[in-house]
Amino acid sequence: MKIALDPYMLRGVPLLELPRMVADLGYRYLEMSPRDDFLPFFLHPRIDRAGVRAFRRELDAAQVEVASVLPLYRWSGPDEDERQAAVRYWKRAIALTAELGVTVMNSEFNGRPERPAESEAQFWRSLEELLPVFEREGVRLVLEPHPDDFVEDGIAAVNLIRGIDSSLVSFLYCAPHTFHQGGDLEAVIRHAGPLLTQLHLADSFDHRGSSGLRYIVNPPGSAVRVHQHLDIGQGEVDWDLFFSTLADVGFDGIATVCVFAWEERAHDSATYNLAEVKRYLDKYPRR
């Protein structure tokens, strides 16, 4: 298993200094999430090929690898102009990922939950354009259902990915989204089976608790999605069940620590969560 760090809480660190810092925190893998000097949120990539080569040299020097690259684009939104722009951004991001020597990208379904049929149609339109690019560049795509996407439920997301029917596309289980995916992490993991190739690791509270009154939003009925990305053990994800189920299904993919809640102690959070992941892996070895 590749235990990676999402360095979002370290995004103020200059890009070329990031690999050494990640190595000093004890990680050997990175998941490159959006940052303004690399792949910004919802915009065209900002790094050029020379920058990619310089970053690659620093990765080699620090003995750190990029396990996956995470772009976020509006490729499934009902707005056609936005979709076309997102596809252009995707094509550039895929090329830069290949230049970096990375063979995995992960992202979200995007789209609008109140317009699921239109969003899914846009998703398929984008995918038809992009799958040949992924194949040409030798890059795989791992997708997760995210709160406020056109598909949020874990089982439904696995079924959609299964319907793509491509060896290039697989499923990411995001632990802090457990309670938006239906709440039954074991069922989703087992349903995914070999389609599960990547994990996001952080904790969260069950927003459905206290008869739906755990988080009170005004005005009542507002269409918000509340969740956290906390340190492991600070929320209500059942980590024993999570890791024992992973062991039972023989998971051996990428597991990314993606805690965002504690920028003021980002280093301590990163080292703590790495130790926790290793502790659970020792407790529940892969069968």
Side-chain angles (χ1 to χ4, degrees):
M1 187 183 300
K2 295 180 178 179
I3 306 173
L5 176 67
D6 180 332
Y8 187 72
M9 292 198 295
L10 304 173
R11 63 193 178 280
V13 176
L15 182 65
L16 298 185
E17 296 177 17
L18 186 61
R20 176 57 58 190
M21 178 172 290
V22 168
D24 290 343
L25 291 170
Y27 291 82
R28 291 295 171 260
Y29 297 96
L30 269 174
E31 179 176 309
M32 286 302 298
S33 57
R35 50 181 285 157
D36 290 343
D37 57 358
F38 188 70
L39 305 182
F41 284 102
F42 306 119
L43 298 173
H44 191 277
R46 295 306 196 243
I47 196 167
D48 59 10
R49 292 182 185 274
V52 167
R53 290 192 291 271
F55 184 44
R56 192 169 181 174
R57 286 193 295 271
E58 295 304 318
L59 288 163
D60 290 342
Q63 296 184 303
V64 169
E65 297 178 33
V66 175
S68 63
V69 173
L70 166 57
L72 289 176
Y73 300 127
R74 295 186 177 93
W75 62 323
S76 302
D79 185 280
E80 177 60 13
D81 288 340
E82 282 191 343
R83 188 200 70 81
Q84 291 183 20
V87 168
R88 289 194 296 271
Y89 305 162
W90 259 116
K91 289 178 179 178
R92 177 62 172 168
I94 295 167
L96 292 170
T97 298
E99 181 79 17
L100 192 56
V102 179
T103 60
V104 179
M105 299 180 80
N106 60 288
S107 192
E108 301 165 5
F109 283 103
N110 193 250
R112 298 302 313 142
E114 70 275 8
R115 299 171 70 178
E118 293 172 79
S119 296
E120 180 169 337
Q122 295 288 73
F123 170 76
W124 286 108
R125 188 172 290 119
S126 296
L127 201 62
E128 287 167 1
E129 294 184 52
L130 292 172
L131 273 180
V133 183
F134 280 106
E135 184 172 11
R136 184 179 68 242
E137 297 289 0
V139 177
R140 294 191 296 107
L141 174 64
V142 192
L143 292 173
E144 66 163 299
H146 194 281
D148 207 44
D149 282 358
F150 78 87
V151 55
E152 299 175 287
D153 180 79
I155 299 293
V158 172
N159 290 342
L160 179 53
I161 292 169
R162 189 163 284 135
I164 296 170
D165 199 18
S166 170
S167 60
L168 294 174
V169 186
S170 56
F171 176 68
L172 184 154
Y173 186 86
C174 186
H177 302 162
T178 288
F179 306 109
H180 287 280
Q181 291 192 57
D184 191 339
L185 64 86
E186 181 180 10
V188 176
I189 290 171
R190 292 190 183 280
H191 185 66
L195 279 177
L196 177 63
T197 63
Q198 195 162 348
L199 309 168
H200 278 171
L201 306 177
D203 217 332
S204 189
F205 290 108
D206 187 347
H207 64 283
R208 306 166 303 172
S210 297
S211 303
L213 295 175
R214 175 161 290 166
Y215 301 103
I216 297 173
V217 177
N218 290 313
S222 296
V224 298
R225 274 43 171 196
V226 177
H227 70 283
Q228 302 80 30
H229 282 245
L230 305 169
D231 287 341
I232 291 173
Q234 291 183 328
E236 294 175 303
V237 174
D238 187 337
W239 292 104
D240 283 292
L241 179 61
F242 180 80
F243 280 99
S244 64
T245 304
L246 292 175
D248 195 41
V249 301
F251 177 82
D252 192 29
I254 301 167
T256 303
V257 171
C258 59
V259 173
F260 307 142
W262 311 113
E263 289 185 359
E264 67 278 8
R265 56 174 191 82
H267 290 212
D268 289 341
S269 174
T271 55
Y272 166 80
N273 286 291
L274 179 60
E276 282 295 279
V277 173
K278 290 180 176 179
R279 181 174 71 84
Y280 276 108
L281 291 176
D282 288 341
K283 185 175 181 180
Y284 299 106
R286 187 162 63 100
R287 299 185 179 94

